[in-house]
Amino acid sequence: MQIDLSRYRVKLAGTEAERAGAQRLRYRVFVEEMGAAATAEQRAARREWDDFDPFFDHLILLDEAGDIADPLDRVVGVYRLMRDAAAAEGPGFYGAAEYDLAPILASGRRSVELGRSCVAPEHRGGPAMYLLWNGLAEYVLDRGIEILFGVASLPGTDPGPVAETLAFLHHFHLAPPELRVRARPAHFLAMDRLPRAAVDPARALRLLPALIKAYLRAGGRVGEGAWVDHGFNTIDVCVVMDTGRMTERYRQYYARGREG
């Protein structure tokens, strides 16, 4: 199968329509597909948003091929990105409600919070996430970002089915102490649900969501404890990536992204 990359364009949302398109895709994925809670207003508009949206940069993937009845549906991939400067001037980081981010804040290093990453179902398995990551690479390199972080989700709120996955992340991919954020007490979920010896790393890795797996391959690590998010019907882990410690493979990947 030949994939026409020219049908796609990656950019930061620059208009209200593009931001609305990002929210439409988020509604499709997080509310309709994953069962997240939504207000009556959001259901009427078929868009998912929160009070943090105006302070985020919204990286979007546009599908410019063919006829699409609703222009909002041209947005087929999304990342929202909160720079530390924007967080300081606005409401703070979204993830601060779930995790104590003191280690990152105290580092004094340029950071960006990643969130609401999703791809339309009909565009999964192709180049969509690759193209989004190239856009993210450009964003990171242009702004001299040193730390990337954000919550990533496991489906459901029952820890039983994901006990080995959580234990794998805790025992094999825990962040170093200087960057080890910790889930807040209200919905804290211990991740060491199995002893290290009982974890099959190969099996646990296969069961990880693709996005978390990609973060680990890029040198990502996780904070202490997971957070049970009943509103989004997920168990969240906080992934932290120190760009200075990223694997050589992904440093080259990011460089290629900048070169186009």
Side-chain angles (χ1 to χ4, degrees):
M1 181 180 68
Q2 187 173 4
I3 298 173
D4 180 14
L5 294 180
S6 66
R7 70 182 290 182
Y8 295 110
R9 182 160 60 106
V10 180
K11 68 186 296 288
L12 290 178
T15 67
E16 286 302 319
E18 289 175 340
R19 284 184 280 273
Q23 294 168 347
R24 167 64 54 79
L25 176 60
R26 285 159 43 183
Y27 185 88
R28 288 181 59 196
V29 173
F30 297 119
V31 178
E32 294 182 340
E33 184 178 344
M34 297 179 62
T39 66
E41 184 182 5
Q42 289 172 333
R43 291 187 182 280
R46 293 190 62 238
R47 291 162 46 200
E48 186 273 319
W49 66 80
D50 63 23
D51 292 340
F52 288 83
D53 268 5
F55 300 91
F56 274 90
D57 291 327
H58 300 267
L59 183 69
I60 59 174
L61 179 68
L62 296 170
D63 180 5
E64 299 187 317
D67 294 327
I68 297 179
D70 189 334
L72 299 189
D73 291 331
R74 287 201 179 276
V75 178
V76 297
V78 170
Y79 248 118
R80 72 175 192 176
L81 313 171
M82 174 82 85
R83 293 174 293 109
D84 49 6
E89 294 173 3
F93 288 117
Y94 171 86
E98 298 186 12
Y99 281 83
D100 180 357
L101 302 177
I104 293 174
L105 299 176
S107 72
R109 302 168 69 192
R110 289 186 179 177
S111 60
V112 161
E113 181 181 28
L114 313 177
R116 294 296 201 276
S117 174
C118 59
V119 171
E122 61 272 21
H123 292 268
R124 295 172 192 165
M129 187 53 70
Y130 171 82
L131 293 170
L132 279 173
W133 272 51
N134 272 309
L136 178 60
E138 188 77 16
Y139 188 95
V140 165
L141 291 168
D142 282 348
R143 292 160 179 79
I145 302 302
E146 299 176 82
I147 298 174
L148 306 174
F149 72 96
V151 297
S153 301
L154 302 169
T157 56
D158 179 2
V162 294
E164 187 174 34
T165 300
L166 292 171
F168 167 71
L169 292 172
H170 176 87
H171 292 303
F172 293 91
H173 294 282
L174 196 63
E178 66 272 18
L179 291 177
R180 191 178 300 166
V181 301
R182 182 178 175 84
R184 295 195 179 277
H187 297 282
F188 182 95
L189 178 67
M191 296 172 65
D192 55 344
R193 310 193 73 76
L194 297 174
R196 183 184 178 104
V199 176
D200 180 340
R203 180 174 60 211
L205 188 62
R206 286 196 303 271
L207 295 175
L208 273 175
L211 183 62
I212 298 179
K213 196 180 302 184
Y215 287 152
L216 297 185
R217 288 173 178 161
R221 296 293 182 264
V222 299
E224 179 75 33
W227 170 274
V228 182
D229 188 339
H230 295 284
F232 269 81
N233 190 36
T234 59
I235 293 174
D236 296 342
V237 296
C238 189
V239 180
V240 182
M241 290 181 284
D242 184 336
T243 60
R245 297 184 178 184
M246 287 170 66
T247 63
E248 182 61 27
R249 173 187 173 190
Y250 276 85
R251 279 198 293 270
Q252 294 172 356
Y253 172 86
Y254 277 130
R256 288 198 302 271
R258 181 163 192 161
E259 293 164 4

